[in-house]
Amino acid sequence: MSGKEYLEQVYRFHQRILSKEAELESYRDLSMSISGSGYERNYNATRNTDPPYVKYSNIIMDIEQEIKTDQAELGNLKYAVGLEIDRLESVNERMVLRYRYLMFMTWGEVAKKLHYSKRWVIRIHDRAIFNFERMMEEKKDEL
């Protein structure tokens, strides 16, 4: 795994949580929907007459639990990645990597925050990635 892939795993994990939250919202909408009146031509005694919220409540609770677990894991992952970023010597490189990979800021937001041009921030980022990957290789060689 390259250094950039290592840093990007936080974002991918965050996106996975966001997709689960969207799925949860979809199930909540379904649970609030109104079911049909049940005036079929032929009476079906085996037809489920429970309201929709009963059918979806267990699914909703399971997804909520998954999200809570994932959020805790995301916090641990952010902390671990943050510790690795802190091993870099340059303060600017650390700040760019933190803003970009732990706070999910765009290049423009990072540039505004640091009072640099977007182009300069990208240069700092490229240097930071190079140094981060070199640092990860050194760490791997030590093990």
Side-chain angles (χ1 to χ4, degrees):
M1 173 184 305
S2 73
K4 191 169 183 178
E5 290 171 339
Y6 178 77
L7 294 168
E8 288 174 341
Q9 69 182 345
V10 176
Y11 179 75
R12 286 191 303 273
F13 204 89
H14 177 71
Q15 289 298 349
R16 191 170 84 189
I17 292 172
L18 292 179
S19 71
K20 284 183 182 181
E21 288 174 345
E23 181 183 4
L24 175 65
E25 191 60 34
S26 172
Y27 279 115
R28 283 187 177 144
D29 289 344
L30 284 171
S31 73
M32 298 298 175
S33 65
I34 299 172
S35 57
S37 60
Y39 297 124
E40 300 93 23
R41 186 168 194 196
N42 296 324
Y43 177 72
N44 184 355
T46 61
R47 180 176 177 260
N48 186 2
T49 58
D50 291 336
Y53 67 86
V54 173
K55 180 166 62 170
Y56 296 112
S57 63
N58 289 336
I59 296 170
I60 289 171
M61 288 189 306
D62 290 343
I63 294 173
E64 285 174 342
Q65 187 58 43
E66 284 178 29
I67 290 171
K68 285 179 186 176
T69 303
D70 286 350
Q71 286 173 336
E73 285 182 43
L74 178 63
N76 293 335
L77 182 60
K78 275 185 165 185
Y79 179 73
V81 171
L83 289 176
E84 292 298 322
I85 290 172
D86 286 341
R87 294 178 55 214
L88 289 170
E89 291 178 21
S90 170
V91 174
N92 284 338
E93 291 176 8
R94 287 193 307 250
M95 288 171 46
V96 167
L97 293 184
R98 281 187 169 284
Y99 287 148
R100 183 72 177 162
Y101 295 104
L102 298 181
M103 297 178 192
F104 316 120
M105 291 183 177
T106 64
W107 292 121
E109 292 170 335
V110 175
K112 189 174 181 181
K113 193 88 165 163
L114 295 176
H115 304 289
Y116 290 140
S117 70
K118 189 174 164 181
R119 185 174 176 176
W120 187 250
V121 167
I122 292 172
R123 280 184 163 180
I124 294 171
H125 172 265
D126 292 344
R127 202 174 30 206
I129 291 296
F130 176 78
N131 291 331
F132 189 81
E133 287 180 347
R134 190 184 64 190
M135 184 184 67
M136 296 292 284
E137 282 296 320
E138 290 171 1
K139 185 179 178 183
K140 189 168 47 172
D141 290 342
E142 290 173 3
L143 298 176

